[in-house]
Amino acid sequence: MTLNCNGKILDLKIPKVMGILNLAPDSFFDGGKYQSIELATKRCSEMLTQGADIIDVGAASSRPGAQIISEKEEFNRLIPILKVLVKKFDSAIFSVDTFRSQIAKASLDEGVSVINDITAGEFDARMLPLVGKYNGVYVAMHMQGLPFNMQENPNYKNITSEILTFFLNKIESCRLNNISDIIIDPGIGFGKKINQNFTILKNLEIFQELNVPILVGFSRKSMIYKSLNIESADALNGTSVLNTIALMKKANILRVHDVKEAKESIELCRKLL
């Protein structure tokens, strides 16, 4: 299984790490740390040095309760820094975390090859045709609701089968829009209760039948720190544990704040193969 990222081929025979670069001031773990070009460049360099295979840049927080910012504000936070990063780290693979097609277009025009859409095209109907036109790699995530209301009352009869059906339909829509490289993300913490997140992890290998790469994002999330009665700052060990379980259940991409530890989890799991 491979991904074509603007001519850079990513072989998923070995799981890969997507490093998170948040440019928003209010992201749940590292909000406000990387809002300048200098700080964002330094952080990007650190993650690449630690072995990040993809750098995922986002400028609009999607934490529970987050309000949707304007397109103009998202553009102004993201594009000036993105321009510098893509030029400086020209051999790297960049992803942009956005659900707006115009932000995606501006990012793709700058050389980004992956669009990471938490709404899987549900928010902006122009997203799938745009990504198909650009031959981009598309991450489709499952979410019930939107960030500002997604945790109010997430409700499922059978969460695994409902998400599986969602992705069956979404993959078909992507194919119809000429998107050939599709990644699915079950959306841990996005419109799910803690026990529902653990159910997804328990059944993660079921999504292999979709025959597309599986991305997971457990990094320092509430399912860890609330379960352990700790703070997100102390949730690195818990993140590594869940990442390791996900790898054993055939996850292909780990989306993380802590690249070094994720790479170590991958290397240790490979010893069992």
Side-chain angles (χ1 to χ4, degrees), residues 27-232:
S27 292
F28 81 95
F29 172 62
D30 55 359
K33 287 187 176 181
Y34 310 115
Q35 288 183 274
S36 70
I37 289 175
E38 181 182 2
L39 292 173
T41 300
K42 181 181 178 182
R43 181 59 182 151
C44 184
S45 178
E46 288 172 349
M47 290 194 289
L48 291 171
T49 299
Q50 291 173 353
D53 301 285
I54 306 168
I55 301 295
D56 189 43
V57 189
S61 175
S62 55
R63 61 175 173 76
Q67 296 299 310
I68 297 175
I69 64 171
S70 70
E71 184 173 303
K72 181 179 179 180
E73 186 172 1
E74 184 179 1
F75 183 96
N76 289 339
R77 287 181 187 174
L78 173 69
I79 299 302
I81 293 177
L82 187 67
K83 284 176 180 283
V84 173
L85 296 178
V86 172
K87 184 176 181 180
K88 182 174 181 62
F89 305 104
D90 58 353
S91 62
I93 295 172
F94 283 93
S95 166
V96 161
D97 181 355
T98 187
F99 49 75
R100 290 183 165 111
S101 61
Q102 288 305 300
I103 300 295
K105 182 181 185 303
S107 303
L108 292 163
D109 284 339
E110 292 298 332
V112 165
S113 53
V114 184
I115 298 300
N116 183 9
D117 182 358
I118 63 171
T119 74
E122 298 291 313
F123 183 88
D124 188 338
R126 298 169 295 177
M127 181 66 89
L128 298 187
L130 174 82
V131 176
K133 179 181 177 182
Y134 276 78
N135 295 316
V137 178
Y138 187 62
V139 182
M141 195 191 80
H142 176 273
M143 175 173 56
Q144 195 175 90
L146 288 169
F148 70 89
N149 66 5
M150 64 185 178
Q151 293 304 105
E152 289 179 3
N153 187 31
N155 184 38
Y156 304 87
K157 291 182 179 178
N158 184 316
I159 190 167
T160 305
S161 64
E162 287 177 46
I163 294 176
L164 186 63
T165 299
F166 172 84
F167 281 132
L168 282 167
N169 294 329
K170 190 57 61 176
I171 289 169
E172 181 180 2
S173 297
C174 288
R175 302 291 188 212
L176 290 172
N177 282 282
N178 299 312
I179 301 174
S180 56
D181 286 318
I182 304 161
I183 301 167
I184 61 165
D185 175 356
I188 297 297
F190 286 82
K192 285 98 177 171
K193 298 175 183 176
I194 289 176
N195 66 311
Q196 293 166 340
N197 291 320
F198 280 104
T199 297
I200 293 169
L201 176 56
K202 180 180 179 180
N203 298 317
L204 191 65
E205 63 268 38
I206 290 174
F207 297 105
Q208 280 191 280
E209 67 182 68
L210 297 170
N211 200 33
V212 295
I214 301 167
L215 180 152
V216 291
F218 298 102
S219 189
R220 298 181 179 269
K221 287 186 176 177
S222 62
M223 69 180 291
I224 300 169
Y225 63 77
K226 287 184 179 179
S227 294
L228 299 176
N229 195 26
I230 58 176
E231 300 297 323
S232 60

Side-chain angles (χ1 to χ4, degrees), residues 17-29:
V17 172
M18 174 184 277
I20 300 167
L21 181 57
N22 280 323
L23 306 182
D26 55 343
S27 292
F28 81 95
F29 172 62

Side-chain angles (χ1 to χ4, degrees), residues 3 7 104 223 245 258 268:
L3 297 172
M223 69 180 291
I245 295 170
D258 306 281
L268 292 173

